[in-house]
Amino acid sequence: MENQNDTAITPGMQEYINQSDRIRAERTNYINSEVKKWRFDTIAVHGLYSVQDALNFHQGAIIEPAFLSSSQAYRDSDEMAAALAYKIPTWCYSRIANPSTYYYEWTLALLEGYGFSGETSCCSTSSGMSAIFSAVTPFLTVKRRDEPINFVATAQCYGGTFQQFTVRLMKERQIECRWVVDATDIDEWASKIDGNTRFLYGELPSNPQLGFFDIAQVADLAHSHELPLIVDSTIATPALLRPLCHGADIVVQSATKSLTSSGFGICGAVISRKPITANLEEAALRDDFAFNIKLLQNRDLGPNLHPMQAILTLNDIRTLRSKMDLMSRNTMQVAKFLQDHPKVERVEYLGLKNHKLHELASKYMWLVDAEHDELYQKPVNRYGHLMSFCVAGGIEPARRFFDSLQRIWRATDLGRIKSVATIPAISTHQQQGEEARKMAHVPGNMVRLCVGAEHPDDIIADLDQALHKA
């Protein structure tokens, strides 16, 4: 992971370094004196892109420009040498950094760190899957061939995550993933940890089962073993849940989903607190994890985010809080309808008071800044736009229902402004097999539904007519 270079610092390079230090000090002061005093919505709209940036560097553009150039030119050899030695900020090559991804990264770092007293940083990635791989890879270095390293993860997780851990890590690299079946049981977590465990990993709310666990409790357990807790918080987004505030060290986002609700592309992010708790030899990785995997690991592996996608996602993020509020309220109405429907076996939605994890989820899932919202003026729980339900009668009725949907889109997507449904057993979780689906509580008659911003009456009407054909 170390950046190997033996570049001697010339007087010209030192001048560039001094200029860079002044700019970074100004940025830090701006964040601490201005940005961190803003409400969530203001950060989502502006991020770190200021009027001064626009006037000084970007022709006064109100919206962050999309920098489609693959590389940056330098004034002279001293500036190039300082940049490529990472002594000064640089856009040397878009595989490593780009002005558009810079603003994307800072917006997510600030949003995930909203309410967190410490500092955060972010590494953009080309997808949610590359975010997961980027986050776990630094902990999986095998120093000896006979070293049997392992990590602990929740069995209730996205099918792609299961495949990455089971096939790419366990089968191909002989790195053991120890699955936690009941993530609410802290003793089960503890029983999986030994001297060769490298990190703890959890997804919440999980896709599609709506699994949940006590973040602070699991973080404390991880830290007692000098291990980091990595959390996939894609479904909640920082509008409803910010795991770093509860002790998690690293958050991964498939920004493809709720953060890019328009559905205009694929992207991801790794956001970390500074420093993380980890038994790592490289002090720089502990001190600023996301920044270091961006400049070193991902420079070499290449899971970079396209600058145009960074701008498209930034545009969607600006209204994140209001969209998550609206879609959460819509989903609650739909869940209440489904739980009373005779053709529905059971409903998994954390907002339902009779859900076994409702109380635990209510401890953590809050609409950010609701107490400062004129509409609410008090803290308000919100549970997101993802739910699942099992159609009564088994697999064939579930498929008849699914095939009869007219307004709701049949797709493997989620987090859209439009409502989307899928059957996980034949789509997102197909490849992991029946036994693994059983462990993860994904039966064949389960339908995953992501409710969008349509009027809930229209979604309910479509569900009702399709259920009558099941």
Side-chain angles (χ1 to χ4, degrees):
M1 284 295 299
E2 293 182 359
N3 190 33
Q4 302 292 337
N5 77 78
D6 54 2
T7 305
I9 305 299
T10 66
M13 287 175 64
Q14 189 60 55
E15 179 57 33
Y16 282 118
I17 293 170
N18 293 342
Q19 292 176 15
S20 172
D21 288 344
R22 288 193 292 270
I23 292 171
R24 281 189 281 209
E26 290 172 1
R27 182 185 66 190
T28 300
N29 180 63
Y30 175 61
I31 291 171
N32 292 331
S33 64
E34 296 287 337
V35 180
K36 285 208 167 185
K37 295 179 181 179
W38 296 343
R39 299 293 182 203
F40 186 92
D41 283 345
T42 306
I43 294 173
V45 169
H46 292 277
L48 207 60
Y49 187 62
S50 65
V51 174
Q52 290 73 24
D53 275 6
L55 294 175
N56 292 339
F57 308 118
H58 308 312
Q59 306 296 311
I62 295 175
I63 300 299
E64 297 89 333
F67 286 84
L68 302 183
S69 176
S70 61
S71 59
Q72 168 189 355
Y74 296 100
R75 294 174 179 85
D76 52 37
S77 58
D78 284 326
E79 187 182 25
M80 177 178 279
L84 273 295
Y86 291 161
K87 301 296 184 182
I88 63 175
T90 177
W91 317 124
C92 59
Y93 198 59
S94 281
R95 172 163 48 82
I96 303 168
N98 174 281
S100 301
T101 56
Y102 168 87
Y103 290 117
Y104 165 89
E105 288 166 341
W106 266 109
T107 299
L108 280 180
L110 290 164
L111 292 180
E112 286 288 358
Y114 187 74
F116 173 57
S117 59
E119 295 181 75
T120 54
S121 61
C122 174
C123 170
S124 59
T125 63
S126 58
S127 67
M129 293 305 300
S130 65
I132 295 169
F133 190 75
S134 297
V136 305
T137 294
F139 303 104
L140 300 178
T141 302
V142 179
K143 295 182 174 59
R144 302 190 315 272
R145 286 186 178 274
D146 61 343
E147 187 178 25
I149 65 174
N150 67 79
F151 61 96
V152 179
T154 51
Q156 291 190 323
C157 63
Y158 169 56
T161 306
F162 186 92
Q163 290 300 106
Q164 184 179 119
F165 289 175
T166 302
V167 178
R168 305 304 159 211
L169 297 182
M170 291 181 72
K171 290 184 179 179
E172 295 182 356
R173 296 178 57 186
Q174 290 75 54
I175 297 170
E176 183 185 6
C177 176
R178 297 178 173 178
W179 296 109
V180 175
V181 177
D182 181 2
T184 65
D185 184 353
I186 195 66
D187 291 332
E188 184 180 354
W189 283 94
S191 70
K192 309 286 185 181
I193 301 171
D194 63 23
N196 290 318
T197 302
R198 296 299 180 86
F199 61 85
L200 274 55
Y201 182 99
E203 180 181 315
L204 80 168
S206 70
N207 166 20
Q209 320 89 330
L210 282 298
F212 211 87
F213 60 88
D214 193 315
I215 305 171
Q217 190 178 45
V218 175
D220 286 344
L221 173 66
H223 296 164
S224 71
H225 292 272
E226 204 176 351
L227 301 173
L229 172 62
I230 305 172
V231 173
D232 183 337
S233 188
T234 293
I235 302 304
T237 80
L240 304 184
L241 175 66
R242 293 171 303 288
L244 299 181
C245 295
H246 304 291
D249 297 276
I250 300 164
V251 171
V252 294
Q253 283 283 351
S254 176
T256 310
K257 310 300 192 302
S258 312
L259 291 171
T260 313
S261 56
S262 63
F264 282 168
I266 306 294
C267 56
V270 178
I271 305 99
S272 64
R273 62 164 62 206
K274 299 196 295 188
I276 63 169
T277 298
N279 186 14
L280 289 169
E281 292 181 3
E282 298 91 345
L285 263 178
R286 295 194 304 272
D287 293 343
D288 194 342
F289 182 83
F291 184 72
N292 274 272
I293 64 170
K294 170 184 171 65
L295 291 187
L296 301 177
Q297 170 186 281
N298 285 14
R299 171 199 66 188
D300 301 334
L301 298 177
N304 54 299
L305 177 63
H306 193 283
M308 179 58 79
Q309 185 56 53
I311 296 301
L312 290 172
T313 298
L314 267 178
N315 197 52
D316 276 357
I317 289 175
R318 301 187 208 282
T319 53
L320 178 64
R321 190 183 76 95
S322 58
K323 283 187 293 190
M324 290 302 293
D325 183 21
L326 172 63
M327 292 191 288
S328 294
R329 289 186 281 114
N330 288 351
T331 309
M332 180 69 86
Q333 289 191 50
V334 171
K336 288 179 177 178
F337 162 77
L338 288 172
Q339 75 171 348
D340 294 330
H341 201 286
K343 293 287 188 76
V344 175
E345 194 175 275
R346 77 170 190 272
V347 177
E348 300 288 352
Y349 187 60
L350 296 170
L352 295 175
K353 292 184 178 180
N354 62 353
H355 193 284
K356 63 181 180 180
L357 298 176
H358 174 75
E359 185 175 346
L360 177 59
S362 299
K363 176 181 175 182
Y364 287 105
M365 296 191 72
W366 299 89
L367 176 65
V368 64
D369 281 348
E371 63 272 26
H372 303 295
D373 191 320
E374 186 178 0
L375 182 64
Y376 301 117
Q377 300 182 29
K378 64 179 181 180
V380 173
N381 284 116
R382 288 289 180 260
Y383 303 92
H385 50 64
L386 183 70
M387 61 172 296
S388 62
F389 59 96
C390 293
V391 178
I395 295 173
E396 290 308 314
R399 289 199 178 197
R400 286 197 297 271
F401 156 79
F402 187 68
D403 293 344
S404 299
L405 293 171
Q406 297 174 356
R407 176 55 51 207
I408 299 168
W409 298 79
R410 287 177 290 273
T412 60
D413 211 357
L414 65 84
R416 296 295 144 254
I417 203 73
K418 299 180 179 182
S419 293
V420 178
T422 191
I423 298 177
I426 63 171
S427 59
T428 57
H429 291 63
Q430 180 188 131
Q431 294 179 342
Q432 69 187 62
E434 185 175 351
E435 184 178 344
R437 286 195 297 271
K438 185 176 180 180
M439 177 180 68
H441 306 296
V442 182
N445 63 334
M446 173 181 280
V447 175
R448 185 187 76 187
L449 175 63
C450 190
V451 181
E454 306 97 338
H455 195 286
D457 288 353
D458 295 322
I459 299 305
I460 288 171
D462 193 26
L463 291 168
D464 191 37
Q465 65 82 24
L467 282 167
H468 278 95
K469 296 174 184 176

